[in-house]
Amino acid sequence: MIVDPPVLLCARRDGNMNSLRRGFANLHTLIDNHAHHQHHHAAHAAHAAAEHGEQNNNLENHGGARGAPTGAKAAQQLLHVECRVVVATATRVKIHISTVDAYDVRKHCSTQIVKRSEDGELRASLSCSVNCKLQHHSRMEVRVYGEDDLRSRSTKSCLGFTSFSIRDLLRSKEPHCSLKLRTMDGVSEVGEVKVSRLQVEEETEDKSPGNKSSVLCDALHGSVQDKENSPMMRAALCSQVCKLYRFQTEDHRWLVVREQMSETPLSFSLPKQLLSALIQEHTDRVVEVKELGDLSPHWDGLRQDVIAHCNQLTGCYQQTRAELDKLSTSSCFKASSSKSDRHLQFIPTNLHSQRMEVAGPDRSGVWYEVITFGAPADHHQAFKHGGLKRLLSKHADHRNSSVRYSREESCRAKELLASVAQLQPLVFGLAEELLSISVEVNLNRLQEVLDSLKEQTSLFIHAIKDQLVKIALLDMHDQSTSNDGSSHVHSNGLLCEVSPGDQEGALSPRLQEDAEYSEEEWDRTWANVGKSLDCITAMVDRLQRRERLLREQPSPELQEATGDSKSQNMASPSSSSSVSSWQEQLLPLVVTLRDCVREAVTKARAAMTFVVLQGAVAATVGQGPTQIVQRRHAVFSQGLSAIVCGFMLKLFGGLEDPEFLHQLHSVGILAQFEGLLSTYGEEVGMLEDMEVGVADLSSLAFAITEAESEQPDDLLPTITGTWGSFVVEVPLPSDTFRSLPQELQAGRLIRVEPILFNIGINQHQSLAERFGDSSLQERVNQQSCERLKAYCNKLRDKLPNMAGIQSLLDLLSSLDRSMESKKRKNVGVLWIAASACRKVNGVRLTSCKSAKDRTAMSVTLEQCTILREQHALGQQHFSAALDNMRRDGCRTENVQKNIGTRKFAFSSVQLLTFPKLYRPPDGSYG
């Protein structure tokens, strides 16, 4: 049977040696709670008990037999403490629980720093296992410290305290007791503390499960201490809230289940980085197009469009970034009530990691995680005109067709422009120097200059014969033909009548008159440069041979022809007429070379300017109005934080799995987004936003790097790259990084395959299915199904021996059948897709409008389904376990922190339209 005790809520506890020092620093305040005669009496009693081998007063005895009068082992106790503090002088506090007895002061656990809630109170909950030898007369003390004085731990820094007797708690018929939290002088009341107890196991010595119960709890707490407090986990998670359950399996053994919900610092850190990257990208693009120099009116109008577009986005993003910087550095959470705030447009709504650790008698703790967040959508701009999918479609219908070039092609074009600008003066200068040397008839010097000219001209030809130039020239001709006679109003108000000759340097006049532009024309252009150089080389060779012959055997005819007495005084045997002949013969060839180079430069520069400008237009104005672009960036940002958090948790959990690491660098990682949005009303726009946002994440890649240190800031992920090619670098500690496969250490990118399955489950979906249109949902699911199968096929090809590959194929077949059934509110599609995602070690993400109500129903159902299918949870206990998690689990805390109440925002009428397994228990909604 499922025990229905108060479910435990715990926060992350300290796991380092500092606790010992803090315990001693606090000893002088704790010891005042005990009288000196009690010390003497407890010491005498403990000595007598040790002599007789009796330890009946112990709550827990490690390694020894327990002497309970009934013959049963004393059960391990888990204490749950809920604290509510009302202190006007503190905005953030930290809460400690310690045990005081005659011999020892032992600190059990403490919360992370707790922030003041919207109602002005500070609330925190935590749990601890009583795993030291506590006596019935021992007392436990709860102390609250202000954040500013946490290091001193002095009496002045203590805002409030209370204590209670272990004996009174155990003898109480009620499972919990309420205490007042008072100042150190006992005068003022500053809050209240509620303490509950949970007996994890109570069985006789004869039953083996009873012998294992403490082992399960110790393993559970070991994972809390060691793994959850690791530097890597602190970089990914914060403000953790935990619940502990025990559930009975089909073979009547016990599962200890730890449910953990955590915020993440990535909610704010990654959007800030993304904003900075976008600001830098648009700033660089403005500089890039300004460097193109003088352009024709039409092209200059396009440049002004790009500059205006970039400046508008840059100004908006700088303002948003400044507003985010004003927030506290510890901000990790955006409540659902703030989803429409303009300055929080890039922040994911209600982003949490929902994790579950399961420990049973025959296995250690196993983790399962789901990332929950509000559907990535732009609530600030709202959905009056639809979401991104519809808005982009309208923009595509109205925009003029333009040539698109990739970011890599734009970069190549800029490099080619720089090369041409560098090589053209060198070629011209060497050609001029060649003519000057020809006057001196210095054969050696002439050959040196010719060799240099040949080298630089060869480099010039190699640069301009790039295939990109030919493609761009053809595109320019096609666009000038299609735009002939059209007009366009640019952002600067200029009305341009576009004509074929309006594009600067686009084509020669002869080619512009041709109806067809031959692609061989460009090949002839750069080939002419080489041929003109060959002519110069041949002429120089002929002149040099002639000069050598004259020096060896002077020709009488030549001497007769000169008839000039000055020839006797010259160092060279050549006459003035022969020198003049050299210049006259080289000059037209050099002029031809310069003309060919100039023509090639003109065309290449025009083509590369076209590429750079069209690339800038496609990346800015071509994406739509700034409102659409900003919306797209904001939706991407929300999904980015969620998927990075999920990837980090998946990576941290698989560092010791060679097959998983091989999968990362050979296939990539699957990210399965589960949507619960209806296809009715404004949620249609949300789904349209989410569809585009998830698709944009396919351009994302991960890289694993070595962290400089294990400080939290050095372990935070960073973003590099530009829009459409962002790379998230995830740092790992040195020892961990060096244990990775060489491919990952070398920086191989880990690609992301995002898919989205959506099934609406609320009353609006009922209206859509009966009277509206659900084709958007069907299309999204069908496309994602195809991408899922493609990923699985690739995985099967790369890792044919992967465990469970056959069951994966069965799941895909079941998914096909489920989708073909056309069943209303077919949540089976979501279940199968989630199972397939877990089978391939993918990242699971679940969303509804704000991730607090429908999402809570989904993740709790998924958790209980995992317990039933993977851990043999008794079928007869499934519904009770589901109700437990929904009534008292972490998701009630999520509702509390979002809207200030622990009840889900459902009505009884609404729930009649929900699938049965998505309905919360009575009393948990309203």
Side-chain angles (χ1 to χ4, degrees), residues 445-476:
R445 179 62 181 156
L446 189 68
Q447 188 61 46
E448 290 177 3
V449 174
L450 180 61
D451 291 341
S452 298
L453 178 61
K454 290 164 64 176
E455 179 183 359
Q456 297 301 323
T457 306
S458 298
L459 292 175
F460 174 80
I461 294 173
H462 178 74
I464 64 173
K465 65 187 290 188
D466 193 306
Q467 189 72 12
L468 180 61
V469 180
K470 181 189 293 188
I471 295 173
L473 288 171
L474 288 171
D475 291 338
M476 287 171 58

mmCIF file of all heavy atoms in Angstrom, residues 445-476:
data_model
loop_
_atom_site.group_PDB
_atom_site.id
_atom_site.type_symbol
_atom_site.label_atom_id
_atom_site.label_comp_id
_atom_site.label_asym_id
_atom_site.label_seq_id
_atom_site.Cartn_x
_atom_site.Cartn_y
_atom_site.Cartn_z
ATOM 1 N N ARG A 445 67.532 42.945 -63.816
ATOM 2 C CA ARG A 445 66.483 43.658 -63.097
ATOM 3 C C ARG A 445 65.143 43.485 -63.808
ATOM 4 O O ARG A 445 64.095 43.330 -63.160
ATOM 5 C CB ARG A 445 66.851 45.137 -63.021
ATOM 6 C CG ARG A 445 65.836 46.004 -62.315
ATOM 7 C CD ARG A 445 65.660 45.593 -60.878
ATOM 8 N NE ARG A 445 64.659 46.410 -60.201
ATOM 9 C CZ ARG A 445 63.978 46.037 -59.158
ATOM 10 N NH1 ARG A 445 64.167 44.808 -58.651
ATOM 11 N NH2 ARG A 445 63.113 46.841 -58.592
ATOM 12 N N LEU A 446 65.184 43.493 -65.121
ATOM 13 C CA LEU A 446 63.957 43.303 -65.881
ATOM 14 C C LEU A 446 63.323 41.945 -65.588
ATOM 15 O O LEU A 446 62.096 41.828 -65.431
ATOM 16 C CB LEU A 446 64.265 43.432 -67.378
ATOM 17 C CG LEU A 446 63.048 43.471 -68.324
ATOM 18 C CD1 LEU A 446 62.263 44.763 -68.122
ATOM 19 C CD2 LEU A 446 63.508 43.344 -69.774
ATOM 20 N N GLN A 447 64.166 40.916 -65.467
ATOM 21 C CA GLN A 447 63.645 39.584 -65.190
ATOM 22 C C GLN A 447 63.055 39.490 -63.776
ATOM 23 O O GLN A 447 62.040 38.840 -63.560
ATOM 24 C CB GLN A 447 64.756 38.539 -65.360
ATOM 25 C CG GLN A 447 64.294 37.102 -65.274
ATOM 26 C CD GLN A 447 63.276 36.757 -66.347
ATOM 27 O OE1 GLN A 447 63.473 37.103 -67.532
ATOM 28 N NE2 GLN A 447 62.194 36.103 -65.974
ATOM 29 N N GLU A 448 63.693 40.150 -62.816
ATOM 30 C CA GLU A 448 63.179 40.140 -61.441
ATOM 31 C C GLU A 448 61.796 40.783 -61.364
ATOM 32 O O GLU A 448 60.883 40.256 -60.724
ATOM 33 C CB GLU A 448 64.153 40.885 -60.533
ATOM 34 C CG GLU A 448 65.482 40.170 -60.303
ATOM 35 C CD GLU A 448 66.420 40.997 -59.444
ATOM 36 O OE1 GLU A 448 65.993 42.095 -59.000
ATOM 37 O OE2 GLU A 448 67.554 40.550 -59.216
ATOM 38 N N VAL A 449 61.654 41.917 -62.029
ATOM 39 C CA VAL A 449 60.348 42.597 -61.994
ATOM 40 C C VAL A 449 59.306 41.765 -62.713
ATOM 41 O O VAL A 449 58.148 41.657 -62.270
ATOM 42 C CB VAL A 449 60.468 43.997 -62.636
ATOM 43 C CG1 VAL A 449 59.093 44.660 -62.741
ATOM 44 C CG2 VAL A 449 61.410 44.877 -61.832
ATOM 45 N N LEU A 450 59.697 41.151 -63.824
ATOM 46 C CA LEU A 450 58.742 40.301 -64.548
ATOM 47 C C LEU A 450 58.297 39.115 -63.688
ATOM 48 O O LEU A 450 57.105 38.764 -63.677
ATOM 49 C CB LEU A 450 59.385 39.809 -65.842
ATOM 50 C CG LEU A 450 58.496 38.896 -66.706
ATOM 51 C CD1 LEU A 450 57.238 39.637 -67.153
ATOM 52 C CD2 LEU A 450 59.270 38.360 -67.912
ATOM 53 N N ASP A 451 59.234 38.505 -62.985
ATOM 54 C CA ASP A 451 58.866 37.379 -62.113
ATOM 55 C C ASP A 451 57.893 37.818 -61.023
ATOM 56 O O ASP A 451 56.936 37.096 -60.696
ATOM 57 C CB ASP A 451 60.124 36.772 -61.481
ATOM 58 C CG ASP A 451 60.999 36.054 -62.512
ATOM 59 O OD1 ASP A 451 60.473 35.713 -63.588
ATOM 60 O OD2 ASP A 451 62.199 35.848 -62.222
ATOM 61 N N SER A 452 58.148 38.967 -60.434
ATOM 62 C CA SER A 452 57.228 39.484 -59.407
ATOM 63 C C SER A 452 55.861 39.773 -59.997
ATOM 64 O O SER A 452 54.815 39.499 -59.380
ATOM 65 C CB SER A 452 57.810 40.755 -58.774
ATOM 66 O OG SER A 452 59.027 40.495 -58.115
ATOM 67 N N LEU A 453 55.852 40.340 -61.222
ATOM 68 C CA LEU A 453 54.569 40.623 -61.867
ATOM 69 C C LEU A 453 53.795 39.341 -62.136
ATOM 70 O O LEU A 453 52.567 39.279 -61.923
ATOM 71 C CB LEU A 453 54.813 41.381 -63.172
ATOM 72 C CG LEU A 453 53.570 41.724 -64.012
ATOM 73 C CD1 LEU A 453 52.632 42.630 -63.221
ATOM 74 C CD2 LEU A 453 53.963 42.364 -65.328
ATOM 75 N N LYS A 454 54.483 38.321 -62.587
ATOM 76 C CA LYS A 454 53.825 37.036 -62.845
ATOM 77 C C LYS A 454 53.267 36.436 -61.562
ATOM 78 O O LYS A 454 52.146 35.894 -61.540
ATOM 79 C CB LYS A 454 54.825 36.074 -63.496
ATOM 80 C CG LYS A 454 55.193 36.447 -64.920
ATOM 81 C CD LYS A 454 56.443 35.739 -65.394
ATOM 82 C CE LYS A 454 56.250 34.235 -65.468
ATOM 83 N NZ LYS A 454 57.451 33.561 -66.016
ATOM 84 N N GLU A 455 54.010 36.548 -60.466
ATOM 85 C CA GLU A 455 53.552 35.981 -59.185
ATOM 86 C C GLU A 455 52.299 36.682 -58.684
ATOM 87 O O GLU A 455 51.308 36.032 -58.313
ATOM 88 C CB GLU A 455 54.676 36.096 -58.152
ATOM 89 C CG GLU A 455 54.292 35.549 -56.789
ATOM 90 C CD GLU A 455 55.388 35.742 -55.760
ATOM 91 O OE1 GLU A 455 56.460 36.298 -56.111
ATOM 92 O OE2 GLU A 455 55.167 35.347 -54.589
ATOM 93 N N GLN A 456 52.323 38.029 -58.690
ATOM 94 C CA GLN A 456 51.170 38.766 -58.180
ATOM 95 C C GLN A 456 49.959 38.626 -59.096
ATOM 96 O O GLN A 456 48.818 38.541 -58.627
ATOM 97 C CB GLN A 456 51.538 40.249 -58.012
ATOM 98 C CG GLN A 456 52.628 40.505 -56.993
ATOM 99 C CD GLN A 456 52.253 39.987 -55.606
ATOM 100 O OE1 GLN A 456 51.092 40.070 -55.191
ATOM 101 N NE2 GLN A 456 53.232 39.452 -54.898
ATOM 102 N N THR A 457 50.186 38.566 -60.401
ATOM 103 C CA THR A 457 49.067 38.384 -61.317
ATOM 104 C C THR A 457 48.450 37.004 -61.172
ATOM 105 O O THR A 457 47.221 36.848 -61.258
ATOM 106 C CB THR A 457 49.530 38.598 -62.763
ATOM 107 O OG1 THR A 457 50.180 39.868 -62.886
ATOM 108 C CG2 THR A 457 48.361 38.558 -63.733
ATOM 109 N N SER A 458 49.279 36.003 -60.940
ATOM 110 C CA SER A 458 48.745 34.651 -60.702
ATOM 111 C C SER A 458 47.886 34.618 -59.452
ATOM 112 O O SER A 458 46.814 33.985 -59.440
ATOM 113 C CB SER A 458 49.901 33.653 -60.589
ATOM 114 O OG SER A 458 50.640 33.602 -61.791
ATOM 115 N N LEU A 459 48.334 35.292 -58.392
ATOM 116 C CA LEU A 459 47.520 35.369 -57.179
ATOM 117 C C LEU A 459 46.210 36.095 -57.452
ATOM 118 O O LEU A 459 45.149 35.716 -56.932
ATOM 119 C CB LEU A 459 48.303 36.087 -56.069
ATOM 120 C CG LEU A 459 49.525 35.355 -55.506
ATOM 121 C CD1 LEU A 459 50.268 36.250 -54.516
ATOM 122 C CD2 LEU A 459 49.106 34.054 -54.825
ATOM 123 N N PHE A 460 46.283 37.136 -58.243
ATOM 124 C CA PHE A 460 45.075 37.895 -58.576
ATOM 125 C C PHE A 460 44.070 37.019 -59.341
ATOM 126 O O PHE A 460 42.877 36.997 -59.018
ATOM 127 C CB PHE A 460 45.474 39.118 -59.409
ATOM 128 C CG PHE A 460 44.314 39.907 -59.931
ATOM 129 C CD1 PHE A 460 43.639 40.803 -59.121
ATOM 130 C CD2 PHE A 460 43.882 39.753 -61.244
ATOM 131 C CE1 PHE A 460 42.564 41.533 -59.598
ATOM 132 C CE2 PHE A 460 42.795 40.464 -61.730
ATOM 133 C CZ PHE A 460 42.137 41.365 -60.903
ATOM 134 N N ILE A 461 44.571 36.275 -60.330
ATOM 135 C CA ILE A 461 43.688 35.407 -61.114
ATOM 136 C C ILE A 461 43.087 34.315 -60.236
ATOM 137 O O ILE A 461 41.887 34.001 -60.330
ATOM 138 C CB ILE A 461 44.468 34.797 -62.296
ATOM 139 C CG1 ILE A 461 44.878 35.889 -63.275
ATOM 140 C CG2 ILE A 461 43.640 33.733 -62.995
ATOM 141 C CD1 ILE A 461 45.792 35.407 -64.390
ATOM 142 N N HIS A 462 43.928 33.743 -59.366
ATOM 143 C CA HIS A 462 43.425 32.689 -58.485
ATOM 144 C C HIS A 462 42.312 33.210 -57.577
ATOM 145 O O HIS A 462 41.353 32.492 -57.277
ATOM 146 C CB HIS A 462 44.576 32.138 -57.645
ATOM 147 C CG HIS A 462 44.154 31.082 -56.674
ATOM 148 N ND1 HIS A 462 43.821 29.800 -57.058
ATOM 149 C CD2 HIS A 462 43.977 31.124 -55.316
ATOM 150 C CE1 HIS A 462 43.474 29.094 -55.994
ATOM 151 N NE2 HIS A 462 43.563 29.872 -54.925
ATOM 152 N N ALA A 463 42.431 34.467 -57.151
ATOM 153 C CA ALA A 463 41.415 35.035 -56.253
ATOM 154 C C ALA A 463 40.102 35.273 -56.980
ATOM 155 O O ALA A 463 39.020 34.943 -56.468
ATOM 156 C CB ALA A 463 41.936 36.329 -55.638
ATOM 157 N N ILE A 464 40.157 35.845 -58.198
ATOM 158 C CA ILE A 464 38.910 36.265 -58.844
ATOM 159 C C ILE A 464 38.235 35.137 -59.598
ATOM 160 O O ILE A 464 37.055 35.272 -59.957
ATOM 161 C CB ILE A 464 39.171 37.434 -59.814
ATOM 162 C CG1 ILE A 464 40.087 36.982 -60.963
ATOM 163 C CG2 ILE A 464 39.742 38.621 -59.073
ATOM 164 C CD1 ILE A 464 40.252 38.018 -62.044
ATOM 165 N N LYS A 465 38.912 34.031 -59.844
ATOM 166 C CA LYS A 465 38.267 32.945 -60.594
ATOM 167 C C LYS A 465 37.396 32.072 -59.694
ATOM 168 O O LYS A 465 36.947 31.009 -60.100
ATOM 169 C CB LYS A 465 39.311 32.096 -61.325
ATOM 170 C CG LYS A 465 40.252 31.353 -60.408
ATOM 171 C CD LYS A 465 41.370 30.653 -61.182
ATOM 172 C CE LYS A 465 40.856 29.494 -61.989
ATOM 173 N NZ LYS A 465 41.959 28.708 -62.593
ATOM 174 N N ASP A 466 37.134 32.548 -58.485
ATOM 175 C CA ASP A 466 36.253 31.851 -57.549
ATOM 176 C C ASP A 466 34.878 31.658 -58.186
ATOM 177 O O ASP A 466 34.326 32.560 -58.820
ATOM 178 C CB ASP A 466 36.138 32.652 -56.249
ATOM 179 C CG ASP A 466 35.504 31.853 -55.120
ATOM 180 O OD1 ASP A 466 34.399 31.328 -55.316
ATOM 181 O OD2 ASP A 466 36.124 31.750 -54.046
ATOM 182 N N GLN A 467 34.309 30.481 -57.998
ATOM 183 C CA GLN A 467 33.000 30.167 -58.568
ATOM 184 C C GLN A 467 31.925 31.097 -58.050
ATOM 185 O O GLN A 467 30.927 31.359 -58.736
ATOM 186 C CB GLN A 467 32.647 28.706 -58.252
ATOM 187 C CG GLN A 467 31.412 28.191 -58.957
ATOM 188 C CD GLN A 467 31.632 27.977 -60.448
ATOM 189 O OE1 GLN A 467 32.774 28.011 -60.906
ATOM 190 N NE2 GLN A 467 30.553 27.765 -61.197
ATOM 191 N N LEU A 468 32.121 31.637 -56.847
ATOM 192 C CA LEU A 468 31.122 32.532 -56.264
ATOM 193 C C LEU A 468 30.950 33.789 -57.121
ATOM 194 O O LEU A 468 29.834 34.324 -57.219
ATOM 195 C CB LEU A 468 31.536 32.915 -54.836
ATOM 196 C CG LEU A 468 30.606 33.852 -54.075
ATOM 197 C CD1 LEU A 468 29.231 33.224 -53.906
ATOM 198 C CD2 LEU A 468 31.203 34.207 -52.707
ATOM 199 N N VAL A 469 32.036 34.267 -57.749
ATOM 200 C CA VAL A 469 31.934 35.453 -58.589
ATOM 201 C C VAL A 469 31.053 35.172 -59.798
ATOM 202 O O VAL A 469 30.172 35.980 -60.156
ATOM 203 C CB VAL A 469 33.336 35.909 -59.034
ATOM 204 C CG1 VAL A 469 33.226 37.161 -59.911
ATOM 205 C CG2 VAL A 469 34.224 36.188 -57.834
ATOM 206 N N LYS A 470 31.246 34.036 -60.427
ATOM 207 C CA LYS A 470 30.443 33.680 -61.594
ATOM 208 C C LYS A 470 28.967 33.564 -61.222
ATOM 209 O O LYS A 470 28.086 34.081 -61.930
ATOM 210 C CB LYS A 470 30.936 32.365 -62.190
ATOM 211 C CG LYS A 470 30.161 31.925 -63.421
ATOM 212 C CD LYS A 470 30.527 30.516 -63.840
ATOM 213 C CE LYS A 470 31.950 30.429 -64.330
ATOM 214 N NZ LYS A 470 32.249 29.085 -64.916
ATOM 215 N N ILE A 471 28.691 32.896 -60.084
ATOM 216 C CA ILE A 471 27.304 32.735 -59.636
ATOM 217 C C ILE A 471 26.670 34.098 -59.348
ATOM 218 O O ILE A 471 25.526 34.367 -59.725
ATOM 219 C CB ILE A 471 27.248 31.830 -58.394
ATOM 220 C CG1 ILE A 471 27.716 30.416 -58.748
ATOM 221 C CG2 ILE A 471 25.855 31.810 -57.793
ATOM 222 C CD1 ILE A 471 27.853 29.495 -57.556
ATOM 223 N N ALA A 472 27.436 34.958 -58.685
ATOM 224 C CA ALA A 472 26.892 36.272 -58.334
ATOM 225 C C ALA A 472 26.607 37.103 -59.577
ATOM 226 O O ALA A 472 25.598 37.824 -59.639
ATOM 227 C CB ALA A 472 27.865 37.001 -57.416
ATOM 228 N N LEU A 473 27.468 37.028 -60.589
ATOM 229 C CA LEU A 473 27.221 37.779 -61.814
ATOM 230 C C LEU A 473 25.956 37.308 -62.513
ATOM 231 O O LEU A 473 25.167 38.121 -63.032
ATOM 232 C CB LEU A 473 28.424 37.643 -62.749
ATOM 233 C CG LEU A 473 29.695 38.403 -62.324
ATOM 234 C CD1 LEU A 473 30.864 38.022 -63.210
ATOM 235 C CD2 LEU A 473 29.464 39.910 -62.362
ATOM 236 N N LEU A 474 25.739 36.001 -62.531
ATOM 237 C CA LEU A 474 24.504 35.475 -63.111
ATOM 238 C C LEU A 474 23.284 35.935 -62.320
ATOM 239 O O LEU A 474 22.255 36.328 -62.901
ATOM 240 C CB LEU A 474 24.559 33.949 -63.155
ATOM 241 C CG LEU A 474 25.501 33.332 -64.186
ATOM 242 C CD1 LEU A 474 25.611 31.828 -63.971
ATOM 243 C CD2 LEU A 474 25.010 33.628 -65.598
ATOM 244 N N ASP A 475 23.387 35.908 -60.984
ATOM 245 C CA ASP A 475 22.273 36.357 -60.137
ATOM 246 C C ASP A 475 21.986 37.837 -60.355
ATOM 247 O O ASP A 475 20.825 38.264 -60.377
ATOM 248 C CB ASP A 475 22.586 36.084 -58.665
ATOM 249 C CG ASP A 475 22.603 34.600 -58.337
ATOM 250 O OD1 ASP A 475 21.996 33.818 -59.095
ATOM 251 O OD2 ASP A 475 23.232 34.220 -57.323
ATOM 252 N N MET A 476 23.051 38.604 -60.493
ATOM 253 C CA MET A 476 22.861 40.033 -60.740
ATOM 254 C C MET A 476 22.113 40.270 -62.048
ATOM 255 O O MET A 476 21.202 41.107 -62.114
ATOM 256 C CB MET A 476 24.225 40.731 -60.792
ATOM 257 C CG MET A 476 24.913 40.892 -59.455
ATOM 258 S SD MET A 476 26.607 41.476 -59.649
ATOM 259 C CE MET A 476 26.350 42.993 -60.536
#
